[in-house]
Amino acid sequence: MPLMRPLDPTFPIERQLAVDASPVVLVNVFTLDKADEQTFCRAWQDDAAFMKQQPGFISTQLHRAIGESPTYLNYAVWESTAAFKAAFAHPEFRAKLTAYPSSAVASPHLFQKVAVPGICVA
């Protein structure tokens, strides 16, 4: 199971799950030992296949840091915090976390789009 280390220690994922928001984007940064990359990718793929079947799931994309850094970023879009919370708390998903290598550290955080006039829409 990956160690959970919040991006913002004052507002960890457990507190974010109580906020009613939609849509939301999960950004999850993973750090791990280079030797564990294949194990990590298999575990993430299995998780993503499960999440893809959950109500409210929209999309996901895994990114790897460039160069020699074994750092990954998962970007997933959900219809709402409630939909993500239900999937995140699902016993089958929770059991899948044991497949991650012990070196993995996950830093999940939920976001919403911000409108910036002339640049991007929310």
Side-chain angles (χ1 to χ4, degrees):
M1 174 181 254
L3 172 67
M4 300 290 251
R5 181 176 295 145
L7 283 178
D8 179 356
T10 65
F11 205 72
I13 192 74
E14 295 79 15
R15 289 188 59 204
Q16 295 168 46
L17 294 175
V19 176
D20 183 22
S22 60
V24 294
V25 174
L26 168 71
V27 172
N28 197 354
V29 177
F30 293 91
T31 56
L32 54 134
D33 291 344
K34 191 159 183 55
D36 289 333
E37 286 189 89
Q38 285 186 351
T39 302
F40 167 80
C41 287
R42 282 191 302 270
W44 184 88
Q45 183 177 13
D46 190 41
D47 283 354
F50 172 80
M51 291 300 195
K52 187 176 177 180
Q53 303 304 313
Q54 301 310 299
F57 173 87
I58 296 173
S59 66
T60 193
Q61 178 65 55
L62 184 64
H63 303 263
R64 186 187 183 281
I66 61 172
E68 297 300 315
S69 174
T71 301
Y72 289 79
L73 180 139
N74 174 42
Y75 180 93
V77 182
W78 288 84
E79 288 179 1
S80 66
T81 307
F84 172 73
K85 180 180 179 179
F88 188 72
H90 195 288
E92 187 176 342
F93 172 73
R94 302 305 291 178
K96 290 179 179 300
L97 294 177
T98 62
Y100 280 88
S102 60
S103 70
V105 177
S107 299
H109 205 92
L110 294 170
F111 294 86
Q112 285 188 293
K113 286 183 177 181
V114 175
V116 178
I119 305 295
C120 53
V121 298

